[in-house]
Amino acid sequence: MPSEATYASEVVNKGMGEPLENQFDILKTMLDSLDRGRDLLGRGVVYRAIPVPDYALDGPAYLRSLREGAINLRQALNDINSGCAGQETKIVLTGYSQGADVINTAAAEAQRESNTEDFKNVASIVYYGNPSRIGGQVREVDDQTGTGIRRLVGAAVDPETDTWINDPTHRPLFISFCAEFDTVCDNADNLTLAAAKVVVGGVLGGTSHAAFGAAAASALGIKQHTSYQKSRVVCPSDVQNRRITATQCGATMILNELGYTVPSQYFPAPPPFVAPDLATSIVVKINGKNKTLNFHAQSDPVYLGTATTDGDGVAVLNVVLPEGLPDGEHHIVVSPADGVGPNYSVPVTVSRSTQGTAEQMLTITERDLDENRVTPPGPTTTPTTPPTTTPPAPGVPGSAGSSGFGS
C-alpha cells in the first residue's frame, strides 16, 4: 500500500536497506513455494538514515531522523489498518539498526498517548542490531547479554520505549538478532575484542601480535553490524538446527509467527567466502579460558593456525584461506591443541570464481559445539606463506539501517 510515508518498491533495496531486502526476498521465495506469495506486501519507511559512526556523536540529528521515521511509520500503520479494515491483516515490523530505533520511537509515542490502534494488527517485530537493546529483554536468537551503544552514549533512549516493550501483550511480539561482536547492539564486545591478541596464521603455530586494539575492534564490530545477510546463526525455527544466515532465520521465524509451515526444502547455502574475501578474521568466544586451539579447514584437514584464548575466552586468528583448499563446502574446525575438551565447527563455502568486496569476519561460539566432529591431526607441516600481519581492512561502514513492514 504505497504512500508518501513509504518508498516505492522500485527504489534501491526497496527502501529497506540490504539486510531487510534480503529477508523480504527470502520470505517471498518461501511463500511462492507454498503458492502464497500474493499474501506478502513490503515497503520501506521513509527517513534519513545516519551513518553508524556518526549517530552517537550527533544526538540531535539522530533524534530528528528517528522522529521523522516514527511519524511515517505510524502513518503507514494507519494506512494499512484503515485500508485493510475487515480483513485478516497481519503486519510484521522489521528494523535493522536505526530502523529498530524508529520502531522504538513510534512505540514510545504510542505509549505516551495511550494509543492502542496503531499497532493493533502487528503480529511480529524483528530487530537486527538494535542500538537500544537490553540483552534478554525480549526473545534473543544470538547474543543473549549486553546492551546497545545508545544505552551508553549519544541520544538517550525514551523510557516509554521500555514501558511499551515490557508490556506483557507486546514483549512476545519481539525477536532480536544481535550478532556476536556486533558492537552497536552489544557495546561490551568492543572492549573484549579490543583486548584480544591477534594471531596471524599461515606458519606453523602462527605469529602472535599485540592486542587487537580499539580502532580495529570498532571497525570489525561495525562490519559485523552491517553483515546480517551474511553472518550465521543456529536458528531455533530450523528443526535440523542448521547454521543459516540471520536474515534466513528471521524469515523462517516470521513465517512461523504468521502460522505458515516453513518449506522443508528451503534452506539455501549461505553466501560463500568469495575472492578477495578469502582473507578472514576467525574470532572465537568460548567458555575455555587461556586455552590453546588449533584451527583447520576440512573436508581433508588443512591447518590454518594456532591461537590461545584470553581470560575472556576470546581468540582471534587472521588468515587467508589457502590455495590448497578447493572451491566448495567445508567446515572451519577449532579443536583444543592438548586434545582435552570439545571441538567447534562452522560450515563455510569457498568460491574463488565469485568476486567480493571485503574480508569476512567468522565467529565461533559455544553454540557451534560439534560433539561428533573428529579432532583433526595437529600441525605437522608448514602451510602456505603467511598473510600480512595487520588485521583485515575494516571496510566502509554502512548506513545505520532501515525499517520495513509488510501486510
Side-chain angles (χ1 to χ4, degrees), residues 108-133:
E109 293 175 354
Q111 178 69 32
R112 189 172 289 107
E113 298 166 9
S114 299
N115 179 306
T116 59
E117 286 295 305
D118 289 359
F119 287 82
K120 67 181 181 181
N121 287 316
V122 173
S124 184
I125 301 173
V126 182
Y127 283 166
Y128 296 94
N130 175 18
S132 299
R133 172 178 170 271

PDB file of all heavy atoms in Angstrom, residues 108-133:
ATOM      1  N   ALA A 108       7.190   4.255  21.633  1.00  0.00           N
ATOM      2  CA  ALA A 108       7.211   5.151  22.796  1.00  0.00           C
ATOM      3  C   ALA A 108       6.146   6.235  22.665  1.00  0.00           C
ATOM      4  O   ALA A 108       5.464   6.582  23.654  1.00  0.00           O
ATOM      5  CB  ALA A 108       8.595   5.777  22.939  1.00  0.00           C
ATOM      6  N   GLU A 109       5.989   6.765  21.466  1.00  0.00           N
ATOM      7  CA  GLU A 109       4.972   7.803  21.258  1.00  0.00           C
ATOM      8  C   GLU A 109       3.569   7.232  21.451  1.00  0.00           C
ATOM      9  O   GLU A 109       2.704   7.872  22.072  1.00  0.00           O
ATOM     10  CB  GLU A 109       5.123   8.400  19.864  1.00  0.00           C
ATOM     11  CG  GLU A 109       6.411   9.199  19.690  1.00  0.00           C
ATOM     12  CD  GLU A 109       6.605   9.687  18.266  1.00  0.00           C
ATOM     13  OE1 GLU A 109       5.799   9.300  17.390  1.00  0.00           O
ATOM     14  OE2 GLU A 109       7.563  10.448  18.024  1.00  0.00           O
ATOM     15  N   ALA A 110       3.350   6.030  20.941  1.00  0.00           N
ATOM     16  CA  ALA A 110       2.037   5.404  21.140  1.00  0.00           C
ATOM     17  C   ALA A 110       1.774   5.153  22.622  1.00  0.00           C
ATOM     18  O   ALA A 110       0.652   5.343  23.115  1.00  0.00           O
ATOM     19  CB  ALA A 110       1.971   4.099  20.349  1.00  0.00           C
ATOM     20  N   GLN A 111       2.796   4.739  23.351  1.00  0.00           N
ATOM     21  CA  GLN A 111       2.666   4.504  24.787  1.00  0.00           C
ATOM     22  C   GLN A 111       2.305   5.790  25.515  1.00  0.00           C
ATOM     23  O   GLN A 111       1.417   5.803  26.378  1.00  0.00           O
ATOM     24  CB  GLN A 111       3.981   3.935  25.341  1.00  0.00           C
ATOM     25  CG  GLN A 111       3.994   3.696  26.840  1.00  0.00           C
ATOM     26  CD  GLN A 111       3.077   2.561  27.257  1.00  0.00           C
ATOM     27  OE1 GLN A 111       2.888   1.612  26.504  1.00  0.00           O
ATOM     28  NE2 GLN A 111       2.498   2.664  28.445  1.00  0.00           N
ATOM     29  N   ARG A 112       2.979   6.862  25.156  1.00  0.00           N
ATOM     30  CA  ARG A 112       2.745   8.143  25.827  1.00  0.00           C
ATOM     31  C   ARG A 112       1.331   8.652  25.575  1.00  0.00           C
ATOM     32  O   ARG A 112       0.733   9.328  26.430  1.00  0.00           O
ATOM     33  CB  ARG A 112       3.781   9.162  25.336  1.00  0.00           C
ATOM     34  CG  ARG A 112       3.789  10.480  26.118  1.00  0.00           C
ATOM     35  CD  ARG A 112       4.962  11.360  25.709  1.00  0.00           C
ATOM     36  NE  ARG A 112       6.217  10.804  26.202  1.00  0.00           N
ATOM     37  CZ  ARG A 112       7.133  10.204  25.451  1.00  0.00           C
ATOM     38  NH1 ARG A 112       6.941  10.077  24.153  1.00  0.00           N
ATOM     39  NH2 ARG A 112       8.234   9.733  25.972  1.00  0.00           N
ATOM     40  N   GLU A 113       0.800   8.341  24.394  1.00  0.00           N
ATOM     41  CA  GLU A 113      -0.544   8.797  24.027  1.00  0.00           C
ATOM     42  C   GLU A 113      -1.625   7.798  24.433  1.00  0.00           C
ATOM     43  O   GLU A 113      -2.808   8.037  24.148  1.00  0.00           O
ATOM     44  CB  GLU A 113      -0.613   8.996  22.509  1.00  0.00           C
ATOM     45  CG  GLU A 113       0.344  10.051  21.971  1.00  0.00           C
ATOM     46  CD  GLU A 113       0.477   9.974  20.451  1.00  0.00           C
ATOM     47  OE1 GLU A 113      -0.304   9.214  19.826  1.00  0.00           O
ATOM     48  OE2 GLU A 113       1.365  10.653  19.905  1.00  0.00           O
ATOM     49  N   SER A 114      -1.229   6.672  25.031  1.00  0.00           N
ATOM     50  CA  SER A 114      -2.173   5.588  25.335  1.00  0.00           C
ATOM     51  C   SER A 114      -2.898   5.130  24.074  1.00  0.00           C
ATOM     52  O   SER A 114      -4.089   4.784  24.090  1.00  0.00           O
ATOM     53  CB  SER A 114      -3.190   6.033  26.400  1.00  0.00           C
ATOM     54  OG  SER A 114      -2.534   6.378  27.602  1.00  0.00           O
ATOM     55  N   ASN A 115      -2.155   5.127  22.973  1.00  0.00           N
ATOM     56  CA  ASN A 115      -2.706   4.755  21.675  1.00  0.00           C
ATOM     57  C   ASN A 115      -2.587   3.246  21.490  1.00  0.00           C
ATOM     58  O   ASN A 115      -1.483   2.697  21.508  1.00  0.00           O
ATOM     59  CB  ASN A 115      -1.938   5.486  20.565  1.00  0.00           C
ATOM     60  CG  ASN A 115      -2.436   5.149  19.163  1.00  0.00           C
ATOM     61  OD1 ASN A 115      -2.508   3.996  18.785  1.00  0.00           O
ATOM     62  ND2 ASN A 115      -2.747   6.183  18.401  1.00  0.00           N
ATOM     63  N   THR A 116      -3.702   2.568  21.323  1.00  0.00           N
ATOM     64  CA  THR A 116      -3.689   1.120  21.110  1.00  0.00           C
ATOM     65  C   THR A 116      -4.091   0.744  19.691  1.00  0.00           C
ATOM     66  O   THR A 116      -4.171  -0.450  19.365  1.00  0.00           O
ATOM     67  CB  THR A 116      -4.647   0.424  22.101  1.00  0.00           C
ATOM     68  OG1 THR A 116      -5.968   0.947  21.914  1.00  0.00           O
ATOM     69  CG2 THR A 116      -4.203   0.651  23.535  1.00  0.00           C
ATOM     70  N   GLU A 117      -4.338   1.751  18.839  1.00  0.00           N
ATOM     71  CA  GLU A 117      -4.814   1.494  17.488  1.00  0.00           C
ATOM     72  C   GLU A 117      -3.686   1.232  16.503  1.00  0.00           C
ATOM     73  O   GLU A 117      -3.776   0.337  15.663  1.00  0.00           O
ATOM     74  CB  GLU A 117      -5.668   2.675  16.995  1.00  0.00           C
ATOM     75  CG  GLU A 117      -7.034   2.751  17.628  1.00  0.00           C
ATOM     76  CD  GLU A 117      -7.897   1.558  17.247  1.00  0.00           C
ATOM     77  OE1 GLU A 117      -8.083   1.306  16.030  1.00  0.00           O
ATOM     78  OE2 GLU A 117      -8.362   0.857  18.157  1.00  0.00           O
ATOM     79  N   ASP A 118      -2.612   2.020  16.571  1.00  0.00           N
ATOM     80  CA  ASP A 118      -1.577   1.970  15.535  1.00  0.00           C
ATOM     81  C   ASP A 118      -0.989   0.566  15.378  1.00  0.00           C
ATOM     82  O   ASP A 118      -0.793   0.080  14.270  1.00  0.00           O
ATOM     83  CB  ASP A 118      -0.445   2.950  15.852  1.00  0.00           C
ATOM     84  CG  ASP A 118      -0.865   4.397  15.684  1.00  0.00           C
ATOM     85  OD1 ASP A 118      -2.022   4.634  15.296  1.00  0.00           O
ATOM     86  OD2 ASP A 118      -0.039   5.296  15.941  1.00  0.00           O
ATOM     87  N   PHE A 119      -0.698  -0.095  16.488  1.00  0.00           N
ATOM     88  CA  PHE A 119       0.000  -1.382  16.451  1.00  0.00           C
ATOM     89  C   PHE A 119      -0.964  -2.569  16.578  1.00  0.00           C
ATOM     90  O   PHE A 119      -0.515  -3.693  16.796  1.00  0.00           O
ATOM     91  CB  PHE A 119       1.032  -1.445  17.587  1.00  0.00           C
ATOM     92  CG  PHE A 119       2.241  -0.573  17.358  1.00  0.00           C
ATOM     93  CD1 PHE A 119       2.208   0.781  17.652  1.00  0.00           C
ATOM     94  CD2 PHE A 119       3.422  -1.106  16.856  1.00  0.00           C
ATOM     95  CE1 PHE A 119       3.312   1.590  17.453  1.00  0.00           C
ATOM     96  CE2 PHE A 119       4.540  -0.315  16.647  1.00  0.00           C
ATOM     97  CZ  PHE A 119       4.491   1.039  16.945  1.00  0.00           C
ATOM     98  N   LYS A 120      -2.256  -2.346  16.416  1.00  0.00           N
ATOM     99  CA  LYS A 120      -3.223  -3.398  16.739  1.00  0.00           C
ATOM    100  C   LYS A 120      -3.107  -4.618  15.831  1.00  0.00           C
ATOM    101  O   LYS A 120      -3.490  -5.724  16.225  1.00  0.00           O
ATOM    102  CB  LYS A 120      -4.642  -2.836  16.706  1.00  0.00           C
ATOM    103  CG  LYS A 120      -5.120  -2.407  15.321  1.00  0.00           C
ATOM    104  CD  LYS A 120      -6.534  -1.841  15.388  1.00  0.00           C
ATOM    105  CE  LYS A 120      -7.037  -1.429  14.006  1.00  0.00           C
ATOM    106  NZ  LYS A 120      -8.417  -0.855  14.086  1.00  0.00           N
ATOM    107  N   ASN A 121      -2.637  -4.448  14.604  1.00  0.00           N
ATOM    108  CA  ASN A 121      -2.512  -5.569  13.675  1.00  0.00           C
ATOM    109  C   ASN A 121      -1.089  -6.093  13.546  1.00  0.00           C
ATOM    110  O   ASN A 121      -0.813  -6.931  12.669  1.00  0.00           O
ATOM    111  CB  ASN A 121      -3.033  -5.169  12.290  1.00  0.00           C
ATOM    112  CG  ASN A 121      -4.550  -5.059  12.246  1.00  0.00           C
ATOM    113  OD1 ASN A 121      -5.248  -5.912  12.780  1.00  0.00           O
ATOM    114  ND2 ASN A 121      -5.054  -3.996  11.639  1.00  0.00           N
ATOM    115  N   VAL A 122      -0.189  -5.610  14.410  1.00  0.00           N
ATOM    116  CA  VAL A 122       1.206  -6.060  14.359  1.00  0.00           C
ATOM    117  C   VAL A 122       1.303  -7.436  14.997  1.00  0.00           C
ATOM    118  O   VAL A 122       0.965  -7.629  16.165  1.00  0.00           O
ATOM    119  CB  VAL A 122       2.138  -5.065  15.064  1.00  0.00           C
ATOM    120  CG1 VAL A 122       3.555  -5.631  15.163  1.00  0.00           C
ATOM    121  CG2 VAL A 122       2.152  -3.733  14.315  1.00  0.00           C
ATOM    122  N   ALA A 123       1.773  -8.405  14.201  1.00  0.00           N
ATOM    123  CA  ALA A 123       1.877  -9.791  14.674  1.00  0.00           C
ATOM    124  C   ALA A 123       3.288 -10.153  15.098  1.00  0.00           C
ATOM    125  O   ALA A 123       3.484 -11.114  15.847  1.00  0.00           O
ATOM    126  CB  ALA A 123       1.416 -10.749  13.578  1.00  0.00           C
ATOM    127  N   SER A 124       4.281  -9.414  14.632  1.00  0.00           N
ATOM    128  CA  SER A 124       5.665  -9.734  14.963  1.00  0.00           C
ATOM    129  C   SER A 124       6.537  -8.506  14.724  1.00  0.00           C
ATOM    130  O   SER A 124       6.274  -7.716  13.811  1.00  0.00           O
ATOM    131  CB  SER A 124       6.160 -10.912  14.112  1.00  0.00           C
ATOM    132  OG  SER A 124       7.467 -11.291  14.477  1.00  0.00           O
ATOM    133  N   ILE A 125       7.571  -8.359  15.551  1.00  0.00           N
ATOM    134  CA  ILE A 125       8.548  -7.277  15.411  1.00  0.00           C
ATOM    135  C   ILE A 125       9.931  -7.919  15.479  1.00  0.00           C
ATOM    136  O   ILE A 125      10.273  -8.562  16.478  1.00  0.00           O
ATOM    137  CB  ILE A 125       8.404  -6.211  16.510  1.00  0.00           C
ATOM    138  CG1 ILE A 125       6.988  -5.595  16.481  1.00  0.00           C
ATOM    139  CG2 ILE A 125       9.463  -5.122  16.360  1.00  0.00           C
ATOM    140  CD1 ILE A 125       6.702  -4.645  17.631  1.00  0.00           C
ATOM    141  N   VAL A 126      10.718  -7.744  14.424  1.00  0.00           N
ATOM    142  CA  VAL A 126      12.031  -8.373  14.336  1.00  0.00           C
ATOM    143  C   VAL A 126      13.104  -7.286  14.269  1.00  0.00           C
ATOM    144  O   VAL A 126      13.018  -6.382  13.433  1.00  0.00           O
ATOM    145  CB  VAL A 126      12.138  -9.290  13.092  1.00  0.00           C
ATOM    146  CG1 VAL A 126      13.503  -9.966  13.046  1.00  0.00           C
ATOM    147  CG2 VAL A 126      11.026 -10.326  13.102  1.00  0.00           C
ATOM    148  N   TYR A 127      14.090  -7.402  15.163  1.00  0.00           N
ATOM    149  CA  TYR A 127      15.184  -6.432  15.207  1.00  0.00           C
ATOM    150  C   TYR A 127      16.499  -7.100  14.821  1.00  0.00           C
ATOM    151  O   TYR A 127      16.793  -8.230  15.241  1.00  0.00           O
ATOM    152  CB  TYR A 127      15.348  -5.861  16.616  1.00  0.00           C
ATOM    153  CG  TYR A 127      14.331  -4.817  17.020  1.00  0.00           C
ATOM    154  CD1 TYR A 127      14.206  -4.438  18.355  1.00  0.00           C
ATOM    155  CD2 TYR A 127      13.499  -4.216  16.096  1.00  0.00           C
ATOM    156  CE1 TYR A 127      13.285  -3.473  18.745  1.00  0.00           C
ATOM    157  CE2 TYR A 127      12.562  -3.263  16.475  1.00  0.00           C
ATOM    158  CZ  TYR A 127      12.465  -2.893  17.798  1.00  0.00           C
ATOM    159  OH  TYR A 127      11.554  -1.954  18.175  1.00  0.00           O
ATOM    160  N   TYR A 128      17.302  -6.372  14.056  1.00  0.00           N
ATOM    161  CA  TYR A 128      18.683  -6.746  13.778  1.00  0.00           C
ATOM    162  C   TYR A 128      19.577  -5.597  14.246  1.00  0.00           C
ATOM    163  O   TYR A 128      19.437  -4.460  13.784  1.00  0.00           O
ATOM    164  CB  TYR A 128      18.917  -6.963  12.275  1.00  0.00           C
ATOM    165  CG  TYR A 128      18.144  -8.103  11.674  1.00  0.00           C
ATOM    166  CD1 TYR A 128      16.910  -7.891  11.066  1.00  0.00           C
ATOM    167  CD2 TYR A 128      18.665  -9.395  11.674  1.00  0.00           C
ATOM    168  CE1 TYR A 128      16.203  -8.941  10.496  1.00  0.00           C
ATOM    169  CE2 TYR A 128      17.965 -10.452  11.107  1.00  0.00           C
ATOM    170  CZ  TYR A 128      16.734 -10.220  10.518  1.00  0.00           C
ATOM    171  OH  TYR A 128      16.037 -11.256   9.959  1.00  0.00           O
ATOM    172  N   GLY A 129      20.483  -5.886  15.182  1.00  0.00           N
ATOM    173  CA  GLY A 129      21.444  -4.875  15.616  1.00  0.00           C
ATOM    174  C   GLY A 129      20.809  -3.653  16.247  1.00  0.00           C
ATOM    175  O   GLY A 129      21.188  -2.524  15.935  1.00  0.00           O
ATOM    176  N   ASN A 130      19.876  -3.856  17.156  1.00  0.00           N
ATOM    177  CA  ASN A 130      19.151  -2.761  17.812  1.00  0.00           C
ATOM    178  C   ASN A 130      20.094  -1.937  18.693  1.00  0.00           C
ATOM    179  O   ASN A 130      20.610  -2.444  19.693  1.00  0.00           O
ATOM    180  CB  ASN A 130      18.016  -3.367  18.647  1.00  0.00           C
ATOM    181  CG  ASN A 130      17.265  -2.344  19.472  1.00  0.00           C
ATOM    182  OD1 ASN A 130      17.332  -1.146  19.227  1.00  0.00           O
ATOM    183  ND2 ASN A 130      16.535  -2.836  20.466  1.00  0.00           N
ATOM    184  N   PRO A 131      20.316  -0.650  18.375  1.00  0.00           N
ATOM    185  CA  PRO A 131      21.230   0.171  19.181  1.00  0.00           C
ATOM    186  C   PRO A 131      20.738   0.417  20.606  1.00  0.00           C
ATOM    187  O   PRO A 131      21.533   0.771  21.483  1.00  0.00           O
ATOM    188  CB  PRO A 131      21.308   1.496  18.405  1.00  0.00           C
ATOM    189  CG  PRO A 131      20.809   1.191  17.035  1.00  0.00           C
ATOM    190  CD  PRO A 131      19.807   0.090  17.204  1.00  0.00           C
ATOM    191  N   SER A 132      19.432   0.243  20.848  1.00  0.00           N
ATOM    192  CA  SER A 132      18.847   0.489  22.171  1.00  0.00           C
ATOM    193  C   SER A 132      18.576  -0.816  22.921  1.00  0.00           C
ATOM    194  O   SER A 132      17.821  -0.829  23.895  1.00  0.00           O
ATOM    195  CB  SER A 132      17.548   1.289  22.029  1.00  0.00           C
ATOM    196  OG  SER A 132      17.788   2.543  21.439  1.00  0.00           O
ATOM    197  N   ARG A 133      19.207  -1.869  22.499  1.00  0.00           N
ATOM    198  CA  ARG A 133      18.938  -3.198  23.032  1.00  0.00           C
ATOM    199  C   ARG A 133      19.338  -3.334  24.501  1.00  0.00           C
ATOM    200  O   ARG A 133      20.338  -2.787  24.946  1.00  0.00           O
ATOM    201  CB  ARG A 133      19.705  -4.225  22.187  1.00  0.00           C
ATOM    202  CG  ARG A 133      19.720  -5.641  22.684  1.00  0.00           C
ATOM    203  CD  ARG A 133      20.475  -6.532  21.702  1.00  0.00           C
ATOM    204  NE  ARG A 133      20.718  -7.862  22.242  1.00  0.00           N
ATOM    205  CZ  ARG A 133      21.775  -8.198  22.955  1.00  0.00           C
ATOM    206  NH1 ARG A 133      22.713  -7.298  23.193  1.00  0.00           N
ATOM    207  NH2 ARG A 133      21.912  -9.421  23.416  1.00  0.00           N
TER     208      ARG A 133
END
